[in-house]
């Protein structure tokens, strides 16, 4: 089993509390997604999002052929992004660009093995920002960190964080020192059985600033026998969120309902969101 990248040390807890690319995301907008796949490997998807301040839409096209893959996204804000990747045993590389050039193009490489994971990414600009992360592990124990070097400031540290973790069959625990040493974070997830999981995240600032206080978030999720997902979480600020996600077709089509309210101020209007994914 390969060592996970540093950004995925708390993957189980983060997916429980906030969701993942494949679902379980708390969101409070009206979202409609359609997708389709062709026989020659192309995937097309369109996403429409309606918010209080307006609506937006994006169209995505992606294709993977062996070790090569390419992805492009066009949005209603007249932006186009393109990313190309290549993979080899234990090695991945990518290059990405956006048009018009509001942000510089980027390129990077990742090496992964059963003992190490190293990522290096940089902007293709005259004075780039370099992002670096590394992790190593043995028998479920992991240690790693990440940092960004700003070439405009003589390659000074723009950000850094470090963390340790331990993963086994039933639980995962990680501890971090983040934000240039100004914040600590602890995450814990426990698989209660094959269908349910409990998660905990504690964030404590070490330097006084606005909103300087410890925040604890507790979440629970359960996958029902019919495949539907139930999730809920609450934090020490009194914010409660709930989610139900289920399939509307046998081979695709998913709907998710999310809600959030503030226990400390019941006069505040709650937030509601619905997401409909018609991918097949």
């Amino acid at each position: 089993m390969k060592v996970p990248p540093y950004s995925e040390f708390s993957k189980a807890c983060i997916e429980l509390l906030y969701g993942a690319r494949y679902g379980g995301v708390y969101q409070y907008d009206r979202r409609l997604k359609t997708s389709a796949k062709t026989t020659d490997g192309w995937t097309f998807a369109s996403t429409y999002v309606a918010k209080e301040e307006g609506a937006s839409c994006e169209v995505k096209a992606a294709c993977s052929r062996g070790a090569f893959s390419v992805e492009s996204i066009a949005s209603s804000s007249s932006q186009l992004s393109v990313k190309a990747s290549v993979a080899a045993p234990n090695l991945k590389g990518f290059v990405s660009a956006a048009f018009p050039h509001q942000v510089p193009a980027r390129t990077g490489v990742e090496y992964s093995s059963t003992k190490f994971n190293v990522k290096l990414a940089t902007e293709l600009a005259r004075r780039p920002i370099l992002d670096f992360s590394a992790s190593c592990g043995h028998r479920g124990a992991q240690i790693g960190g990440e940092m960004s070097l700003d070439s405009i400031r003589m390659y000074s540290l723009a950000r850094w964080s470090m963390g340790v973790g331990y993963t086994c069959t039933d639980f995962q625990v990680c501890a971090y020192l983040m934000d240039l040493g100004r914040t600590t974070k602890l995450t814990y997830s426990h698989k209660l059985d094959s269908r349910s999981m409990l998660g905990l995240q504690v964030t404590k600032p070490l330097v006084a600033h606005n909103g300087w206080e410890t925040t604890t978030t507790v979440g629970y999720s359960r996958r029902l026998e019919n495949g539907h997902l139930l999730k809920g979480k609450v934090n020490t600020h009194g914010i409660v969120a709930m989610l139900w996600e289920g399939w509307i077709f046998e081979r695709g089509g998913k709907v998710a309902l999310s809600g959030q309210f503030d226990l400390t101020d019941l006069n505040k209007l709650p937030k509601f969101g619905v997401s409909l994914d018609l991918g097949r």
Side-chain angles (χ1 to χ4, degrees), residues 9 29 47 54 60-61 71 102 121 137 144 171 210 212 216 219 233 251:
F9 272 17
D29 305 313
T47 304
K60 174 182 175 181
E71 174 184 289
Q102 295 182 345
F171 72 90
N210 292 333
W212 181 50
T216 302
K233 64 179 180 178
R251 296 186 178 180

Side-chain angles (χ1 to χ4, degrees), residues 82-105:
V82 180
K83 181 178 181 180
S85 306
V86 60
N90 298 334
L91 199 64
K92 295 179 182 178
F94 79 91
V95 60
S96 63
F99 308 94
H101 298 285
Q102 295 182 345
V103 294

Side-chain angles (χ1 to χ4, degrees), residues 42 45 57-62 70-83 95-106:
W42 281 92
C57 181
E58 71 174 29
V59 179
K60 174 182 175 181
V70 63
E71 174 184 289
S72 63
I73 300 176
S75 68
S76 56
S77 57
S78 301
Q79 292 183 347
L80 174 67
S81 62
V82 180
K83 181 178 181 180
V95 60
S96 63
F99 308 94
H101 298 285
Q102 295 182 345
V103 294
R106 290 179 60 83

Side-chain angles (χ1 to χ4, degrees), residues 57-279:
C57 181
E58 71 174 29
V59 179
K60 174 182 175 181
C63 182
S64 180
R65 299 286 177 84
F68 299 92
S69 63
V70 63
E71 174 184 289
S72 63
I73 300 176
S75 68
S76 56
S77 57
S78 301
Q79 292 183 347
L80 174 67
S81 62
V82 180
K83 181 178 181 180
S85 306
V86 60
N90 298 334
L91 199 64
K92 295 179 182 178
F94 79 91
V95 60
S96 63
F99 308 94
H101 298 285
Q102 295 182 345
V103 294
R106 290 179 60 83
T107 186
V109 63
E110 176 185 359
Y111 172 80
S112 58
S113 69
T114 57
K115 298 294 183 182
F116 301 96
N117 181 282
V118 179
K119 285 184 176 182
L120 177 64
T122 182
E123 297 175 341
L124 299 177
R126 186 175 180 181
R127 294 183 176 179
I129 293 179
L130 297 138
D131 297 319
F132 175 79
S133 70
S135 60
C136 62
H138 181 65
R139 294 185 178 181
Q142 304 145 3
I143 184 171
E146 65 180 4
M147 64 179 181
S148 293
L149 299 175
D150 191 346
S151 62
I152 298 178
R153 299 178 180 177
M154 301 297 294
Y155 291 98
S156 62
L157 279 172
R159 67 180 179 93
W160 66 263
S161 67
M162 57 186 298
V164 296
Y166 181 76
T167 303
C168 70
T169 305
D170 296 329
F171 72 90
Q172 181 184 67
V173 59
C174 299
Y176 300 91
L177 182 63
M178 309 166 57
D179 301 330
L180 298 171
R182 293 192 289 260
T183 306
T184 58
K185 184 171 75 172
L186 173 71
T187 64
Y188 176 79
S189 61
H190 189 95
K191 187 180 292 186
L192 303 176
D193 52 46
S194 60
R195 295 182 180 273
S196 58
M197 181 176 290
L198 183 69
L200 169 72
Q201 177 179 283
V202 181
T203 304
K204 179 178 177 58
L206 301 178
V207 179
H209 56 79
N210 292 333
W212 181 50
E213 58 182 300
T214 301
T215 301
T216 302
T217 305
V218 179
Y220 174 80
S221 71
R222 180 167 181 82
R223 182 72 65 175
L224 305 180
E225 292 184 2
N226 58 8
H228 295 183
L229 176 66
L230 293 175
K231 292 176 64 174
K233 64 179 180 178
V234 60
N235 65 23
T236 48
H237 299 294
I239 305 299
V240 178
M242 295 175 290
L243 176 141
W244 171 85
E245 186 177 87
W247 299 95
I248 55 178
F249 300 122
E250 218 174 286
R251 296 186 178 180
K254 184 167 57 177
V255 61
L257 304 175
S258 303
Q260 177 184 288
F261 61 92
D262 189 346
L263 286 176
T264 63
D265 186 2
L266 297 179
N267 292 321
K268 185 183 296 185
L269 289 176
K271 297 179 181 180
F272 296 101
V274 58
S275 174
L276 181 60
D277 187 343
L278 299 179

Side-chain angles (χ1 to χ4, degrees), residues 2-99:
K2 291 185 176 181
V3 173
Y6 174 71
S7 58
E8 296 182 8
F9 272 17
S10 300
K11 182 178 180 180
C13 183
I14 297 303
E15 289 183 353
L16 189 156
L17 295 179
Y18 304 103
R21 181 178 57 85
Y22 53 82
V25 178
Y26 294 96
Q27 65 88 28
Y28 310 106
D29 305 313
R30 278 71 65 198
R31 185 182 300 264
L32 173 63
K33 180 180 179 180
T34 59
S35 60
K37 295 182 179 179
T38 64
T39 55
D40 57 354
W42 281 92
T43 301
F44 298 93
S46 64
T47 304
Y48 172 82
V49 181
K51 302 182 179 182
E52 293 183 358
E53 59 269 23
S56 63
C57 181
E58 71 174 29
V59 179
K60 174 182 175 181
C63 182
S64 180
R65 299 286 177 84
F68 299 92
S69 63
V70 63
E71 174 184 289
S72 63
I73 300 176
S75 68
S76 56
S77 57
S78 301
Q79 292 183 347
L80 174 67
S81 62
V82 180
K83 181 178 181 180
S85 306
V86 60
N90 298 334
L91 199 64
K92 295 179 182 178
F94 79 91
V95 60
S96 63
F99 308 94

